[in-house]
Amino acid sequence: MFDEDYRMLPESWKEIYRWFNSFCVTGESYCPMEWWNTPFRYSARLDLDEYEQGSGASREVTEKFAKSIGCRRDELRCWMLTENEDALFVNEGACDGKVFHVNGKNMDVITELHDPRMKMDDYLAHYLSGGKPKDFSF
């Protein structure tokens, strides 16, 4: 079941997400429903409407973003969001393993992560060792 639910992710992220189904990175004594700075659980990932509400991006901007990376709006999901407004998106419909980074409402500047596993490993190591999200460059 896990592999079927997560087939849209880069292959190298699947083990990361197996762990994130079991625990979360937090200073709280419980796992908060609204995560920051760590990958979202499968059920918590954001569609573009939810992303707009949280980021303040307009529908026009998110429509343009989806078209620019060649996917349908309803297939694009945000899998991670940081307090620095870094967001990682996956085209769930394509199941192509591509991950796209944007920062907040600035969805004109899109970076495709060419090695998503290494970038996620680097980010999590940075964050878990006390680094601030704003000091990390995707």
Side-chain angles (χ1 to χ4, degrees):
M1 182 66 163
F2 177 92
D3 287 327
E4 185 176 317
D5 285 344
Y6 288 76
R7 70 185 177 278
M8 77 293 290
L9 291 176
E11 192 63 35
S12 60
W13 276 20
K14 289 183 182 169
E15 282 308 309
I16 293 172
Y17 276 94
R18 283 184 207 277
W19 288 106
F20 275 90
N21 268 352
S22 304
F23 73 93
C24 69
V25 179
T26 179
E28 305 294 328
S29 60
Y30 59 92
C31 187
M33 291 301 294
E34 297 173 351
W35 286 22
W36 282 101
N37 307 320
T38 63
F40 293 137
R41 291 178 182 214
Y42 180 82
S43 59
R45 70 205 196 287
L46 306 174
D47 63 23
L48 283 182
D49 293 334
E50 295 164 322
Y51 182 77
E52 288 168 5
Q53 291 171 3
S55 71
S58 70
R59 184 163 184 105
E60 179 182 339
V61 167
T62 59
E63 289 282 348
K64 183 179 172 187
F65 169 62
K67 286 180 185 175
S68 70
I69 60 174
C71 73
R72 291 187 359 219
R73 174 185 180 81
D74 62 321
E75 295 178 338
L76 196 58
R77 295 289 183 277
C78 178
W79 277 81
M80 190 173 123
L81 188 60
T82 73
E83 63 193 55
N84 192 46
E85 297 184 345
D86 288 300
L88 299 182
F89 287 89
V90 173
N91 179 351
E92 293 190 353
C95 295
D96 57 9
K98 293 182 180 179
V99 179
F100 301 94
H101 168 265
V102 298
N103 186 268
K105 293 183 276 190
N106 189 9
M107 299 185 95
D108 289 333
V109 181
I110 304 163
T111 305
E112 181 181 344
L113 303 185
H114 293 289
D115 187 348
R117 182 194 60 80
M118 184 59 74
K119 194 54 84 170
M120 184 63 82
D121 285 352
D122 290 347
Y123 172 78
L124 292 173
H126 168 82
Y127 185 66
L128 292 173
S129 65
K132 297 187 183 312
K134 70 179 180 174
D135 296 333
F136 187 82
S137 174
F138 280 94

